[in-house]
Amino acid sequence: KAAEQAIMVSTGSQDALTKTFELLLEKDDTLLLEEYTYSGSLAFLKPWGCNLAPVPCDQGGIKPEALRAILDNWTELDGKKPRVLYTIPTGSNPTGITIDLERRKALYDVAREHDLLILEDDPYYYLQFSKPWLPSLYSMDQDARVVRFDSFSKVLSSGLRLGFMTGPKEIVDRVVLHMQATSLHTSGVSQGVANALFQHWGATHGEDGAMVGFQRHVDGVIDFYSKQRAEFQKCA
């Protein structure tokens, strides 16, 4: 990536996400987002007062050609041209849609064409039922235009309130300063519990680079949810 990258532990991924919204969006800015998106984000964004521009979706998720059309046809009469896209690419809440590889590439291409910053909210990334897992938008990033938000809520415990953001250091550092001025830091107890779990699982890495112990744990969580899905389908 062209710019230096950084990582920050946050009080759940939503804490970092909303602080990033505050950092990047003024009242007269427009945020691009999927037409059906996470109610928790909307609960912050609507009172914040920026303009929201829903991008049409289909069964494959956000439509890159629709995003391109919105940006290609944007005029001064529409206000300031959007410079930020918010997306939930894996197991989107509320639709459950996962964007496939080709569409992820197309989405990133549109972002490059129109110089968009992508906010990749990906709390369900580690719960992909099919392997190999789809690559994140962040892993595709070539010019530091993706800020990624991960969460331990779905794979460890939601009550720990632990997440982390990764992205260009200039942006992450600003969010760190915001945290220092508000919540000071994420709970040391929660971080200690998570660290103890990772210590217990060990630091051995597999051929794919994943931590073996953590991957084994995640596979167990996926198996649990796969069975839940099967039962739900039986009842549908």
Side-chain angles (χ1 to χ4, degrees):
K1 296 182 174 63
E4 185 179 357
Q5 301 292 293
I7 187 168
M8 183 197 82
V9 176
S10 57
T11 308
S13 61
Q14 188 160 340
D15 180 51
L17 179 62
T18 54
K19 284 177 167 58
T20 305
F21 284 149
E22 287 184 290
L23 171 67
L24 298 174
L25 299 169
E26 301 291 343
K27 304 296 184 182
D28 59 345
D29 282 324
T30 296
L31 175 67
L32 297 156
L33 73 175
E34 288 135 340
E35 62 178 328
Y36 306 108
T37 194
Y38 176 45
S39 61
S41 294
L42 293 175
F44 174 86
L45 288 165
K46 288 185 176 179
W48 182 245
C50 65
N51 302 310
L52 303 179
V55 181
C57 300
D58 59 17
Q59 67 273 15
I62 189 170
K63 298 166 67 175
E65 66 274 16
L67 175 62
R68 179 179 282 110
I70 289 172
L71 293 166
D72 283 346
N73 296 303
W74 198 272
T75 70
E76 291 184 0
L77 295 177
D78 298 313
K80 291 164 60 177
K81 188 174 181 179
R83 51 195 174 81
V84 183
L85 168 68
Y86 168 60
T87 181
I88 307 173
T90 310
S92 179
N93 183 347
T95 64
I97 293 170
T98 293
I99 302 174
D100 67 22
L101 178 58
E102 291 307 311
R103 192 170 290 204
R104 288 176 190 233
K105 290 178 178 178
L107 196 62
Y108 184 77
D109 287 343
V110 176
R112 297 189 82 181
E113 289 171 20
H114 289 274
D115 197 22
L116 292 177
L117 185 70
I118 300 174
L119 303 184
E120 182 180 28
D121 186 9
D122 217 2
Y124 307 103
Y125 178 81
Y126 296 103
L127 296 179
Q128 295 184 56
F129 290 171
S130 301
K131 291 185 178 180
W133 288 350
L134 289 164
S136 65
L137 292 165
Y138 181 79
S139 71
M140 300 177 184
D141 192 13
Q142 299 177 45
D143 41 20
R145 66 175 65 258
V146 180
V147 183
R148 178 175 171 80
F149 303 87
D150 284 277
S151 175
F152 287 121
S153 293
K154 309 302 183 287
V155 293
L156 295 185
S157 169
S158 57
L160 283 176
R161 303 309 306 139
L162 275 181
F164 54 101
M165 71 176 289
T166 317
K169 188 175 187 299
E170 184 177 4
I171 293 176
V172 175
D173 283 352
R174 291 285 183 174
V175 178
V176 169
L177 290 174
H178 189 339
M179 176 176 283
Q180 290 174 351
T182 52
S183 58
L184 300 182
H185 61 79
T186 298
S187 167
V189 174
S190 293
Q191 294 184 67
V193 170
N195 182 60
L197 276 171
F198 279 98
Q199 295 271 354
H200 172 71
W201 289 327
T204 303
H205 289 73
E207 293 181 2
D208 60 355
M211 296 178 67
V212 174
F214 175 65
Q215 186 65 62
R216 189 180 300 117
H217 167 75
V218 168
D219 287 343
V221 177
I222 291 172
D223 181 63
F224 169 80
Y225 281 119
S226 295
K227 292 175 181 175
Q228 296 288 89
R229 179 184 64 173
E231 290 300 316
F232 183 82
Q233 289 173 331
K234 286 180 184 178
C235 299

